[in-house]
Amino acid sequence: MTDAPRITIEKAADFAGQTVVLQGWVHNLRKSGKIAFPIFRDGTGFIQGVVVKANVGDEIFEAAKHLTQESSVRVRGQLRAEDRAEGGYEIEVEAIEILQAVSAEDPFPITPKEHGIDFLLDRRHLWLRSRLQHAIARVRHSVVKASRDFFDNNGFTLADTPILTPAACEGTTTLFETPYFDLGSAYLSQSGQLYSEATAMALGKVYCFGPTFRAEKSKTRRHLTEFWMVEPEMPFVELDGIMDLAEEFVEYVVARVLEERQQELKTLERDTSKLESVKRSFPRMTYDDAVKMLQAKGSEIQWGADFGNTDEGILSEGYDRPIMVHRFPTEIKAFYMRPDPTRPEVALGVDVIAPEGYGELIGGGQRIHEYDDLVKKIDEHGLPREAFDWFLDLRKYGSVPHGGFGMGIERCVAWICGIEHVRETIAFPRMIHRVRP
Ligand code: 4AD
Ligand code: MG
């Protein structure tokens, strides 16, 4: 199609006034008499086309009038600024080449009308093309990239951890088990943390970033069975240093999304003033104070219980940024969490709770670095000591205070996008009742 430059929609501004070629899909079509307005999308954005019968002639106009949703096309035309158009530009179409026409008898199943969630999730491979899903996916991209950049630029070395593991990290109730040749069973990783503790003793500050698995039996809007987590781990650090890093990290990620994804946040109708206030320092409160605050606000919670979704919602009320709750009861936390030496019934862990009721965004804390204490905890939690011999080695050979945290990417994206459920923040969500498409 001529030698006009082939461009992507997100670069339209650079080619204003020029004749260009776009390749993409037909998102939508409006017609009125002798003019047609197809909306094209190409993965980088959406742009309105204008096809005027008097300019293009009968043949091209007929073709334009019959474009079906999601047909793939190549379009030549002149780009021009148009304030009223999405993205600020439109394309005055001169020629259209149809690569594959979607049949009018078997049209694209997802139309601009409302569809039920199960209908959409069953067609997730097609639903991804919709405007909102496109915006969410691009925000996710920025969250992931910003997370990597943050750690890369702050002296952390990427050291990814295995997915097939011999034992539990975050409790035995959410383990996925899989047969493993002659060795019996292996388990899908719930967190890379234990291995990151080893790489941190080799490399200093490290992070891992990958998929993690939890056989969550709960059906909530915050739980997936497969989700992505970024987990930094540092030697020579205590709880306060871990909290400092967590707030700096969250501030950075939110700022980057605001910088890179204004268009997408607008599509999502996100109130960005709620994100602009995400600045250090984040309020810090002990679990003890959090329980008192909850009780004062009418919650039934008793000291010793974990927070439910409702409690986290109540806690974050009245704050315009995430809050950090630290020193949870040792009893309810993972085996590796270091009890506070001055008060062993609480552990040196922290949860970062997002505002607007989005709940726990980050979990982390300081690890037990003393050999005997760790052996005791492994036994108390009924974990197989043999499976942790290597982990105990780390407490025998140059043990130091250390710790880190994990942030679930899907929780972060849901919060930043302001959407209800984490299932839309990942291309192909895995939940208790869904493993397809
Ligand atoms: O609080 P969690 O369980 O902490 C850990 O796994 C630690 N080992 C991390 C560390 O210290 N390196 O999980 C961390 C975060 C949560 O705050 C939440 O954002 C996310 O992972 N998360 C989930 N996201 C989606 N679906 C689930 N089922 C999740 N479980 C945890
Ligand atoms: Mg947690």
Side-chain angles (χ1 to χ4, degrees):
M1 198 180 243
T2 73
D3 48 5
R6 283 192 181 177
I7 71 152
T8 54
I9 293 169
E10 67 181 349
K11 295 277 182 324
D14 301 344
F15 293 86
Q18 295 188 41
T19 297
V20 299
V21 173
L22 293 176
Q23 317 188 81
W25 296 264
V26 177
H27 179 66
N28 198 354
L29 178 67
R30 271 193 311 123
K31 298 169 267 199
S32 74
K34 295 182 161 59
I35 182 161
F37 301 99
I39 291 181
F40 301 110
R41 59 170 199 88
D42 72 346
T44 73
F46 295 77
I47 193 168
Q48 171 167 293
V50 184
V51 194
V52 182
K53 189 174 181 182
N55 299 345
V56 295
D58 288 352
E59 201 182 323
I60 292 177
F61 190 71
E62 272 310 298
K65 251 174 59 183
H66 293 97
L67 285 174
T68 42
Q69 188 189 349
E70 290 306 317
S71 289
S72 43
V73 292
R74 199 170 284 139
V75 179
R76 189 184 70 229
Q78 199 182 39
L79 284 174
R80 60 169 185 237
E82 168 54 66
D83 285 346
R84 287 164 303 175
E86 177 177 0
Y89 293 87
E90 62 184 18
I91 183 165
E92 168 86 46
V93 175
E94 294 163 10
I96 302 179
E97 181 188 336
I98 298 175
L99 304 180
Q100 190 247 320
V102 173
S103 156
E105 273 73 62
D106 185 9
F108 192 69
I110 300 171
T111 58
K113 71 164 203 222
E114 289 272 317
H115 297 287
I117 187 65
D118 283 321
F119 180 92
L120 292 168
L121 283 169
D122 285 342
R123 290 159 188 79
R124 183 64 174 162
H125 51 297
L126 305 176
W127 186 26
L128 291 171
R129 303 182 190 191
S130 81
R131 227 181 256 272
L132 291 185
Q133 297 307 313
H134 175 263
I136 296 167
R138 303 246 294 179
V139 169
R140 180 186 172 106
H141 172 91
S142 287
V143 167
V144 170
K145 182 72 166 58
S147 298
R148 290 196 183 279
D149 288 348
F150 178 83
F151 294 115
D152 292 346
N153 296 339
N154 282 288
F156 288 76
T157 299
L158 175 69
D160 283 325
T161 52
I163 286 170
L164 290 167
T165 62
C169 176
E170 296 297 322
T172 49
T173 55
T174 63
L175 272 184
F176 277 113
E177 188 173 353
T178 176
Y180 198 82
F181 307 108
D182 295 338
L183 298 181
S185 286
Y187 306 93
L188 300 186
S189 178
Q190 298 163 308
S191 158
Q193 179 200 317
L194 305 188
Y195 292 94
S196 289
E197 291 184 45
T199 58
M201 299 307 146
L203 295 161
K205 297 195 285 182
V206 293
Y207 71 103
C208 63
F209 197 158
T212 41
F213 304 85
R214 307 259 171 115
E216 298 277 4
K217 289 179 192 83
S218 50
K219 257 179 79 177
T220 83
R221 62 192 189 89
R222 294 183 194 155
H223 288 94
L224 297 169
T225 55
E226 177 178 324
F227 62 98
W228 283 66
M229 182 151 63
V230 60
E231 298 179 83
E233 189 73 21
M234 301 176 286
F236 308 105
V237 74
E238 301 192 0
L239 182 62
D240 285 342
I242 294 160
M243 292 199 277
D244 293 346
L245 184 77
E247 63 183 4
E248 192 181 343
F249 170 60
V250 172
E251 179 189 76
Y252 178 83
V253 170
V254 170
R256 275 278 299 268
V257 175
L258 282 169
E259 200 179 301
E260 295 171 6
R261 297 297 173 204
Q262 281 297 328
Q263 179 68 48
E264 286 80 1
L265 292 170
K266 200 164 141 202
T267 300
L268 292 162
E269 297 176 15
R270 182 63 165 123
D271 177 356
T272 50
S273 72
K274 296 232 158 69
L275 299 174
E276 260 134 30
S277 58
V278 179
K279 291 270 171 347
R280 283 175 287 168
S281 303
F282 299 169
R284 298 179 185 193
M285 71 177 85
T286 60
Y287 170 88
D288 295 355
D289 287 343
V291 167
K292 280 184 208 140
M293 185 199 250
L294 286 170
Q295 287 169 342
K297 288 189 175 173
S299 165
E300 309 266 272
I301 195 167
Q302 293 300 318
W303 197 99
D306 209 350
F307 300 144
N309 289 352
T310 329
D311 295 315
E312 287 175 349
I314 300 173
L315 274 179
S316 65
E317 268 169 24
Y319 291 102
D320 64 349
R321 60 199 73 196
I323 59 172
M324 301 201 277
V325 181
H326 55 92
R327 292 182 168 77
F328 282 81
T330 309
E331 280 269 306
I332 56 169
K333 286 291 177 185
F335 77 97
Y336 53 73
M337 277 221 190
R338 184 161 196 255
D340 188 337
T342 66
R343 221 187 126 200
E345 69 275 21
V346 295
L348 298 172
V350 58
D351 277 6
V352 179
I353 298 172
E356 301 173 75
Y358 278 91
E360 181 191 332
L361 195 62
I362 283 181
Q366 196 178 330
R367 327 301 186 191
I368 297 176
H369 62 270
E370 300 91 341
Y371 185 90
D372 294 339
D373 295 352
L374 189 57
V375 171
K376 230 169 77 194
K377 272 302 182 61
I378 289 173
D379 293 347
E380 270 171 36
H381 281 250
L383 296 167
R385 219 193 266 189
E386 334 66 81
F388 291 96
D389 52 357
W390 67 271
F391 191 58
L392 284 162
D393 271 356
L394 305 175
R395 278 72 185 167
K396 282 203 298 197
Y397 304 115
S399 192
V400 301
H402 67 282
F405 60 79
M407 182 181 81
I409 294 299
E410 292 74 16
R411 297 261 182 104
C412 180
V413 174
W415 163 49
I416 292 181
C417 290
I419 57 174
E420 181 69 15
H421 200 299
V422 290
R423 66 190 165 209
E424 290 178 45
T425 64
I426 187 165
F428 295 98
R430 298 291 174 246
M431 291 169 288
I432 181 165
H433 296 304
R434 180 171 296 276
V435 280
R436 59 182 303 278

